[in-house]
Amino acid sequence: MTAPLASVDLPAPVLTASGCAAAGRELDPFLDLTELGAVVTKSIMLEPRSGRATPRMAETPSGMLNSIGLQGPGVASFLAHDLPWLRERGARAVVSVAGGSVDEYAALAERVGGEEGVTALEVNISCPNVESRGQVFACDPAAAASVLSAVRRRTPARVPVLAKLSPDVTDIVEVARACVDAGADGLSMINTLLGMVIDTDTLRPALAGVTGGLSGPAVRPVAVRCVWQVRAALPDVPILGMGGVRTGLDALQLVLAGADAVSVGTATFNDPSAPLRVQRELRQALAERGFARFTDAVGAAHHQLPRRRAEGVPA
């Protein structure tokens, strides 16, 4: 099940999702990271960052709300410890980078993009867990384009640059197009949705940061919709799809909508082996439906649409 994504050929179509397993060490006891398409790291920032105040996790009926706030040790620690470890393990690394300014993103691209073992950069312009929503570049097409243009210029041409988009926008296609026009080689979608939980005992917001990012099964239909819309508008742009994937059939929905590969995130919290399990289930689901190759299924739901319309089935 090889999966071409931008200019790289991944040996498998399932990846981890950024923010759910740091740089892969936590999952290593439970699965062989080399069997995955790649490990997508937690977003790296230039300097160490403590993140938002606690509590910063809350359960919801069908997902999880978090307001971690891009906590991390900074790029120097990542380059000294995490990236070498991934190389030694033989795992492919898609490195997620995040910043508070265009210059910070550019500096990260320059420091990380040329490092040995970096398969691609995922540019997180859409994290909702920052104190200032003004930092969410993905909510403005021009701001998103500025970041992607700067990152693309500072990243070696052999390393694909993926823009990670937010579903919390009026028109995700407009933002996607702006990123691609600015030099993005592909798109990651979706990041979490901005949400909120109120504790009915304390009568206060459950998270210290008040709002957080919603992930898990609740967001999957939103992710499928976003991938579908962007695939229809930009059919040649590579897409890494994610959002609430727990099973192979969940992953298949994203693939049929147009994702060239799929990331598994929140599911790893209660099943650390979920990425490989999902990959096995996806392989079986494709075989049962007569797909000879994984790539034959990418965007296949779009191909079915004219026939269904002809049969009188509403679009």
Side-chain angles (χ1 to χ4, degrees):
M1 278 204 307
T2 58
L5 182 67
S7 59
V8 298
D9 289 321
L10 299 176
V14 176
L15 296 74
T16 64
S18 177
C20 297
R25 292 177 194 266
E26 288 82 352
L27 298 184
D28 189 52
F30 302 96
L31 51 78
D32 184 350
L33 296 173
T34 66
E35 293 187 33
L36 296 174
V39 172
V40 183
T41 71
K42 180 173 170 54
S43 293
I44 309 301
M45 300 191 76
L46 268 184
E47 302 296 333
R49 181 180 169 103
S50 60
R52 302 183 82 176
T54 59
R56 49 193 188 185
M57 302 279 281
E59 290 188 26
T60 76
S62 53
M64 183 180 74
L65 199 68
N66 89 83
S67 64
I68 303 300
L70 297 172
Q71 177 191 22
V75 67
S77 176
F78 174 76
L79 293 178
H81 304 290
D82 294 322
L83 188 58
W85 182 83
L86 284 165
R87 281 198 301 262
E88 291 170 7
R89 296 290 298 146
R92 291 155 292 279
V94 173
V95 181
S96 176
V97 295
S101 67
V102 173
D103 288 343
E104 190 172 348
Y105 280 100
L108 281 163
E110 194 163 271
R111 292 187 65 174
V112 176
E115 289 287 325
E116 180 187 354
V118 175
T119 298
L121 287 187
E122 183 180 83
V123 186
N124 181 3
I125 54 174
S126 51
C127 178
N129 300 317
V130 288
E131 292 182 6
S132 170
R133 289 286 290 166
Q135 287 182 285
V136 184
F137 295 88
C139 292
D140 178 74
S146 295
V147 173
L148 269 299
S149 177
V151 170
R152 183 63 277 176
R153 287 198 305 271
R154 302 289 189 93
T155 306
R158 61 179 171 77
V159 178
V161 170
L162 310 177
K164 189 166 188 178
L165 304 186
S166 170
D168 290 332
V169 293
T170 302
D171 184 356
I172 196 169
V173 171
E174 182 184 11
V175 181
R177 185 175 282 114
C179 291
V180 172
D181 289 346
D185 302 289
L187 304 165
S188 293
M189 62 177 73
I190 57 173
N191 211 318
T192 56
L193 290 85
L194 192 65
M196 182 177 178
V197 169
I198 292 179
D199 187 321
T200 52
D201 291 324
T202 66
L203 310 183
R204 297 288 301 158
L207 301 177
V210 181
T211 60
L214 179 65
S215 63
V219 311
R220 189 171 58 253
V222 179
V224 173
R225 181 267 298 176
C226 289
V227 171
W228 172 277
Q229 286 183 317
V230 172
R231 173 61 66 186
L234 305 169
D236 298 324
V237 176
I239 296 174
L240 174 58
M242 64 209 70
V245 174
R246 291 188 303 175
T247 70
L249 291 181
D250 295 342
L252 181 58
Q253 284 197 53
L254 285 169
V255 173
L256 294 173
D260 297 277
V262 175
S263 280
V264 176
T266 301
T268 59
F269 286 102
N270 68 356
D271 177 10
S273 68
L276 271 188
R277 175 181 54 75
V278 167
Q279 190 160 275
R280 290 193 298 269
E281 293 173 356
L282 177 59
R283 180 184 292 110
Q284 180 177 348
L286 291 168
E288 290 172 349
R289 285 155 182 78
F291 289 105
R293 299 174 303 177
F294 168 76
T295 50
D296 293 339
V298 174
H302 293 267
H303 307 153
Q304 297 295 325
L305 202 54
R307 181 177 60 82
R308 290 173 62 83
R309 280 178 173 161
E311 294 170 350
V313 178

